Each structure stands twice: as C-alpha cells, then as structure tokens.
Amino acid sequence: MNNLRPSRPKRKDSRTEARPSNEGRASASSMKRNPQRKNAQPIGLPVRQAALQLLEAVLRQGLPLEQVIGRITQGLKQNADRALVHALAAAVLRWCHDLDDLIDSATAKPLAPDVKARMVLRMALAQKLVLKQPAHVAIATVLPLVDGGPRRLVHGVYGTLDRREGVALAEYPTLPDETAYRWEKAWGDPMLAAAERALAQQAPVDLTLKDPEQTALWQEKLGGESLFSGHIRLPEDHPPIAELPGYEEGAWWVQDISASLAARLLGKGDNRSILDLCAAPGGKTMQLASQGWQVTAVDIAAKRLTRLHDNLKRMGLTANVVTSDLADFKPKEEVDAILLDAPCSASGIFRRHPDVLYRVSSHIIADMAEQQKKLLDRASTWVKEGGKLVYAVCSLEPEEGEAVIRDFLASHPDYQIDSVEKSSLPEGLSPSPEGWLRILPENLAIKGGNDGFFIAYFTRYTKKEAK
C-alpha cells in the first residue's frame, strides 16, 4: 500500500477482538477431503468462497458490503454460515493494514495489493488472529481457494508466520492511509486514536424507546444502560433482537444514539407537518411519529421502504410513505418542518461497516457534498416561515458537514442556526460554538462509543426578520 502519511509506531499490546466460531473447533482431519468422495467439497469451503467474493467486491470493485452480501450468501442455507461470512470479511477489513504488514514481513518481495494470494492470506491470518480459530483450521479452510494457483506460496507464507514466535496483532487496528490522513488533518491525532480504538471492537446495540417516560422500566427489563431519556444500550451478551422483551409489542427499535438525536431534538410535533427526506429504513420516521408529528417519509428505495412499512406496523405508528427521487418530489404545500438525513459518504458508521474505510475517497466526498448542497437548497423552499429545517449526515468529513452549512447560510439569509442546548444531549456531547452538533468517535468512548455524525438545526424567517 502507498503511504500517504508518516507511519505511526506499532503498538505492542496483543489484545485482539475475538470472534469464536464452532466451526473453528473442528479437527484437522475433518478439513481434509474424504478419499471415498473425490468430488466432495472440503468443510467450510462455501463460506470461504463467499467471504472471498465479498472482499473482492469491496476492495476491488468499491461496492458496499451490505449491498452485495445478500446476493453472495444466498446459496448458504444456515444462518451461522452467513454470519461467519460477514464476521470473516469484517475481520479482514478491520485489520487489513496490519494483516498486510505481517504478510509483507514474510515475503522476499511484496505481493501486489490485489493478487488472490494476498487476499487468501489475509483471510487465513484473520481467522487465526482475530476470530481465534486453530492455526491448522485457518489455513486448511482457505487453501482450496488457490487450488491450481499459488497454493505453495500461500502455505509457505502462512507457515513462516505460524512458526514465528510472538506473531500477533496490535491492540487496535491501523486505519487505511487515506482515511487516516483525512481525519488527522480535520480533527487531530486524538480523534484518530479514538477511531482506531472504536474499530477494534463491535459497536454496541442502541435502542430508541417509543415512550421515553418508560426508560427506567425498559432499562430494568432489558438489563442495559441508559445514556439519557428514551435510550437503552444493550449488554454485549444480549439475546437475538427479535427475542428481547418489548420487540413484538413495539416498545422500541434499534438505532444508534448519534442517529437518534436529529429527530429527538425537534421535540413534540403536536400534529404539525414534517417531511422526513431520505427516510429509509425509518428510524427517524418512527421517532417523529412517536413524538406526535404528522410525517411524510420520502425515499427513492422502494425495497427499503418496505422495511419501513413493516417497522411502522410493529410499532403501531402511522406515516405517509412516498417512493420518490427528491429531484422529482415536491410537496403540495409548505410544511412546518423538514428533516433531511442526506445521502453521504457514511464514513461515520465505520465501526459497524468497516468497508466504508476502503470505499470512501476525497473524490466521492466532494461529489456527495455537492449533492447535499443541492438537496438542502431544494428542501429549504418547502418550509413555512417560522418552520424548522434539520440537516444531518452520518459522516466524519467536514466537507459534508460544516462546509455545507456555511455555504447554505451564506446563500440563504432567511435561515438562521438554532443552537443545540447542551442540556438536551447525553453527557459527553456538546454543541459547537457555532451551534451545530459534531459527533466524533471519542465523545462517548467511555460508554462504548458512538457513530460519527453532523447535525444542524435552522429556523426560517422572513428576510426582514433575519438578522
């Protein structure tokens, strides 16, 4: 990989995130082909084939993991197998830089970044060092991926590292160079260190309650921690989501604490009208509906809106759901408020979706920022005088947050920032001096972390009223 920044010293702590797998406890003999069935596939091969395809889709083609994983794993019948595909691909993506350093230390000449041998070695090492599978299982399950190819090379490099004393990953992963360069420039080294710490662990599961007044009740029933009213953070060992108390009766839905703030801070709707733009999968729509807003939820993705319909039904909430491209959509009349959760690079959700670290580039960020400016400009014409406009992105890029808002304010004198009140935020979060809310990885790190986000609130005035 090309270094876009000075290399940082390697950490010596060998703690890694563990993803134990029952499959990893299989015996060495179970990994071999049955001599009586020459056409039988080695155990676990379909899972590794799917993981390899998934990694190639992300790292070579630049596709979102969640967009392609369903198609790639559709031939796997067991949920556990599909989960292992995701866990293996995520482990490689989280630790890719460090896995490559190990591989390069065991070869006379560095392997090309996109050769199959490197990808398979990443998988083998991730299985051993991250998922904690036995060494013989880690290599035996991936060697069939290079049958008829560089099998001896893969086996040799892995064997060299397996025999080397003290081979381990650092306590925290190293971010990809381009990402680290951008974030260090924008936010400084403390943010960079916090991002790497966040990347080393699974993101906690947050719930938003339909009725915030029942926070204490659901905290007790779910055994979680509440960071503020209407929020529950589940313990790491929680049961499957659909088996938790309150799921069937629609008492809560899954939503990261950062994502919940954009709608929450709008307060009670009192039957006023609001547009939730780019609404799918619907967490903010449900928040607004539960707060008493008359919601029209708009999104271009019909498939994702189906999920929104299902969630509204489970929660016992109502909203007018519209499938439309925002470039074509226009409301019949002005509304009391608009929440624009704009399309963005999504770099803020890297803990749960580490593929964004490899897909997002400066070029993509610039393109997304231009799109956001156009959508914000268009939406601003649909707000009543005295109404509210909320802009939010799950991005850690200032070009998609602060820069967009400064441009908007400069060209829209009828809009002014509404300063976020610190008292309305969880402990650890504070508004900026300008009044908007920038959420970085370190803000709630002591409580398990949070997604990166940017949120700004505006009021529309007449030009005479605007200061």
Side-chain angles (χ1 to χ4, degrees):
M1 292 187 177
N2 295 323
N3 289 321
L4 301 182
R5 59 185 173 90
S7 60
R8 285 164 283 155
K10 293 294 179 183
R11 305 181 183 87
K12 296 182 179 180
D13 195 306
S14 62
R15 179 173 64 86
T16 63
E17 63 172 347
R19 300 288 182 272
S21 168
N22 289 334
E23 180 187 278
R25 300 186 177 93
S27 66
S29 61
S30 69
M31 296 296 134
K32 299 177 181 178
R33 295 182 184 272
N34 185 334
Q36 303 300 319
R37 298 174 59 202
K38 294 183 179 180
N39 295 325
Q41 285 188 331
I43 293 175
L45 179 58
V47 169
R48 275 67 186 186
Q49 288 172 328
L52 179 60
Q53 292 177 43
L54 192 55
L55 288 167
E56 289 179 335
V58 171
L59 296 175
R60 290 185 179 180
Q61 302 174 45
L63 298 175
L65 185 147
E66 297 299 330
Q67 177 181 309
V68 295
I69 190 170
R71 170 178 57 81
I72 289 174
T73 61
Q74 63 184 350
L76 300 175
K77 297 180 180 180
Q78 301 296 322
N79 289 335
D81 287 343
R82 292 191 290 271
L84 182 54
V85 171
H86 189 282
L88 178 51
V92 171
L93 294 170
R94 289 177 190 275
W95 296 91
C96 193
H97 194 295
D98 305 276
L99 295 172
D100 281 346
D101 281 349
L102 287 176
I103 293 167
D104 292 341
S105 74
T107 57
K109 295 181 179 179
L111 301 173
D114 59 347
V115 298
K116 193 172 187 179
R118 181 181 288 277
M119 195 77 79
V120 171
L121 279 165
R122 289 167 176 165
M123 292 172 59
L125 291 170
Q127 288 186 125
K128 177 189 175 185
L129 300 175
V130 183
L131 303 186
K132 299 301 184 182
Q133 294 183 350
H136 65 272
V137 173
I139 187 62
T141 52
V142 301
L143 280 178
L145 298 173
V146 284
D147 278 347
R151 183 184 177 102
R152 290 182 62 186
L153 171 63
V154 169
H155 196 280
V157 172
Y158 181 87
T160 297
L161 292 170
D162 189 41
R163 292 187 297 271
R164 185 184 296 172
E165 185 177 351
V167 170
L169 294 171
E171 183 177 7
Y172 307 123
T174 303
L175 288 167
D177 289 329
E178 184 178 352
T179 303
Y181 177 81
R182 288 198 321 269
W183 290 356
E184 191 171 38
K185 181 180 179 182
W187 311 115
D189 193 64
M191 180 275 193
L192 207 63
E196 291 184 336
R197 289 194 298 269
L199 188 59
Q201 55 193 342
Q202 290 285 74
V205 177
D206 291 333
L207 307 180
T208 296
L209 302 182
K210 183 179 178 181
D211 183 0
E213 294 185 1
Q214 295 187 342
T215 301
L217 170 67
W218 286 109
Q219 183 178 357
E220 182 179 356
K221 285 187 175 183
L222 295 165
E225 179 181 13
S226 178
L227 302 188
F228 73 142
S229 177
H231 165 269
I232 302 292
R233 175 157 287 181
L234 296 177
E236 288 186 15
D237 58 349
H238 66 82
I241 294 297
E243 297 177 12
L244 288 170
Y247 177 83
E248 290 294 338
E249 55 265 47
W252 47 260
W253 58 89
V254 176
Q255 185 179 36
D256 186 83
I257 191 170
S258 296
S260 73
L261 295 174
R264 185 190 299 270
L265 296 181
L266 275 168
K268 293 183 178 180
D270 297 325
N271 290 317
R272 289 174 292 167
S273 59
I274 188 167
L275 292 174
D276 183 9
L277 305 179
C278 308
K284 298 176 183 65
T285 295
M286 290 185 287
Q287 278 183 280
L288 295 167
S290 67
Q291 291 167 203
W293 291 88
Q294 297 299 311
V295 188
T296 297
V298 184
D299 200 283
I300 193 173
K303 187 174 182 180
R304 297 182 76 205
L305 286 176
T306 299
R307 181 179 168 191
L308 172 54
H309 279 290
D310 293 341
N311 284 332
L312 286 169
K313 183 178 180 180
R314 179 175 68 86
M315 299 301 301
L317 298 169
T318 59
N320 178 32
V321 180
V322 178
T323 305
S324 177
D325 188 332
L326 284 188
D328 303 321
F329 174 80
K330 184 177 181 180
K332 295 180 180 179
E333 56 187 8
E334 291 181 341
V335 294
D336 295 299
I338 288 178
L339 195 166
L340 173 61
D341 188 1
C344 69
S345 66
S347 60
I349 61 173
F350 68 94
R351 300 177 306 155
R352 290 179 286 114
H353 301 281
D355 54 301
V356 303
L357 298 172
Y358 302 91
R359 294 190 292 102
V360 175
S361 65
S362 297
H363 176 72
I364 289 174
I365 293 167
D367 286 348
M368 297 304 301
E370 286 304 310
Q371 183 179 351
Q372 291 151 16
K373 292 175 184 178
K374 292 177 181 177
L375 292 177
L376 188 56
D377 180 70
R378 182 170 172 78
S380 69
T381 64
W382 304 334
V383 179
K384 295 177 181 178
E385 289 183 3
K388 304 295 183 181
L389 174 62
V390 181
Y391 170 83
V393 284
C394 56
S395 169
L396 285 165
E397 318 304 329
E399 296 89 343
E400 296 182 276
E402 290 83 349
V404 169
I405 297 311
R406 290 191 177 100
D407 284 354
F408 177 77
L409 289 172
S411 58
H412 294 78
D414 52 333
Y415 276 91
Q416 292 184 5
I417 285 282
D418 288 340
S419 293
V420 175
E421 296 293 331
K422 181 176 173 60
S423 60
S424 63
L425 299 172
E427 186 177 353
L429 299 183
S430 299
S432 70
E434 298 86 351
W436 52 63
L437 184 60
R438 164 57 72 183
I439 308 176
L440 296 173
E442 66 261 36
N443 290 142
L444 299 176
I446 195 171
K447 294 293 186 179
N450 51 271
D451 283 350
F453 240 83
F454 177 88
I455 307 170
Y457 296 79
F458 307 90
T459 295
R460 187 180 192 185
Y461 299 94
T462 64
K463 291 183 179 179
K464 181 180 291 187
E465 291 175 315
K467 297 179 182 180

